Amino acid sequence: MSKLEGKVAFITGAARGQGRSHAVRLAEDGADIVAVDVCADVETVPYPLGTADELAETAKLVEAAGRRCATATADIRSLEQLGAAVDLAKETFGQIDILVSNAGIWSGSSDSWSLDEETWQTMIDINLTGQWKTAKAVIPTMIEGGTGGAITITSSTIGLKATTGNVHYTSAKHGVIGLVRTLAHELAPHNIRVNAVCPTTVNSPMITNDALYSLFRPDLESPSLADAEPGLNDLNLLDVTMMEPAEVSAAISWLVSDDARYVTGIALPIDAGSTAK
Ligand SMILES: NC(=O)c1ccc[n+]([C@@H]2O[C@H](COP(=O)([O-])OP(=O)(O)OC[C@H]3O[C@@H](n4cnc5c(N)ncnc54)[C@H](O)[C@@H]3O)[C@@H](O)[C@H]2O)c1
């Protein structure tokens, strides 16, 4: 029997990148999937976000792995939209056992005092408050199920240490670790485990875009990925420029399984040694 056979996983930011990879990996492990994404661009984000076509492609990949997939378009800033996605999950599968709260955005800032208020607020609204709203929307259904469960919330190495260039992202990613630790206390009586994953840079459109390259090479007018690569590589102890999403999915696959039944309240670096550097 596959290790997540009979489980239902609710995954945000599932149209592409890490969220899609988590959906496919957990399906390969035996789970049915509720794949959720905003499927629209967001103001202040300097690269396009996931699309409805990409979310539909995630569903096809889950089905190709032999599991069922329900898709919902929802902005994690909206409790109403998240509530509709939870209702869809209950109607389709009857339960939610696993929450992978992964949706997020990135934008840069030259320094903390030059950052404009809208860019700060949008970041906090999605990368911190949106993660809380996702938990708030899903947890009552997990508790009602009465069979325990597992939650991962995606932080970052930048939730464990700081760099320059993205104070709002750094603040939100530190904040979700507080959310994780609190939820671990609150949900332990229900046998629901809650952990953060903290990846170093991962190969996704959040990294492979011009604004991110400029963060690493502010001296160049139009830097390319090749220009940014030495700086990206220098973040890590191990020789890697960007991990692949599957590396993070493998950690989540373990964290949400019974193999990690006594692991809760941790912030797990998956980081090529970045936080040790
Ligand atoms: N890529 C990295 O280097 C890296 C490193 C550490 C942590 N992270 C975090 O990993 C998570 C996944 O990022 P990724 O690398 O796959 O990037 P990505 O941009 O490829 O994927 C993010 C997904 O989240 C969706 N999304 C964004 N805002 C949303 C909202 N308000 N509501 C619903 N969905 C929304 C996007 O449409 C997109 O499909 C994010 O939380 C990110 O902060 C990324």
Side-chain angles (χ1 to χ4, degrees), residues 18 22 154 197 199-200 202 243-253 270:
Q18 294 178 61
H22 303 337
T154 301
V197 291
T200 187
V202 177
M243 301 187 309
E244 291 303 317
E247 315 289 350
V248 185
S249 305
I252 289 179
S253 163
I270 305 135

Side-chain angles (χ1 to χ4, degrees), residues 12-20 22 36-40 42 45 47-51 54 74-77 101-106 125-127 131 154-158 169 173 197-207 242 245:
T12 65
R16 68 174 194 203
Q18 294 178 61
R20 173 186 283 174
H22 303 337
V36 179
D37 204 284
V38 67
C39 299
V42 166
V45 177
Y47 54 90
L49 294 182
T51 66
E54 288 173 320
D75 187 328
I76 63 167
R77 290 174 290 185
S101 187
N102 158 85
I105 57 167
W106 177 84
D125 286 347
I126 294 177
N127 284 17
Q131 302 268 27
T154 301
S155 175
S156 167
T157 50
I158 303 305
Y169 187 87
K173 292 298 187 183
V197 291
C198 302
T200 187
T201 44
V202 177
N203 186 4
S204 80
M206 182 178 286
I207 297 297
M242 290 180 279

Side-chain angles (χ1 to χ4, degrees), residues 160-200:
L160 297 168
K161 65 188 240 186
T163 60
T164 54
N166 33 218
V167 60
H168 48 331
Y169 187 87
T170 306
S171 301
K173 292 298 187 183
H174 274 70
V176 295
I177 291 177
L179 174 64
V180 160
R181 290 177 176 150
T182 304
L183 288 173
H185 277 265
E186 293 174 345
L187 292 174
H190 301 282
N191 197 27
I192 297 172
R193 301 179 295 101
V194 190
N195 295 293
V197 291
C198 302
T200 187

Side-chain angles (χ1 to χ4, degrees), residues 25-39:
R25 174 61 197 259
L26 298 196
E28 288 167 355
D29 290 342
D32 290 321
I33 306 295
V34 183
V36 179
D37 204 284
V38 67
C39 299

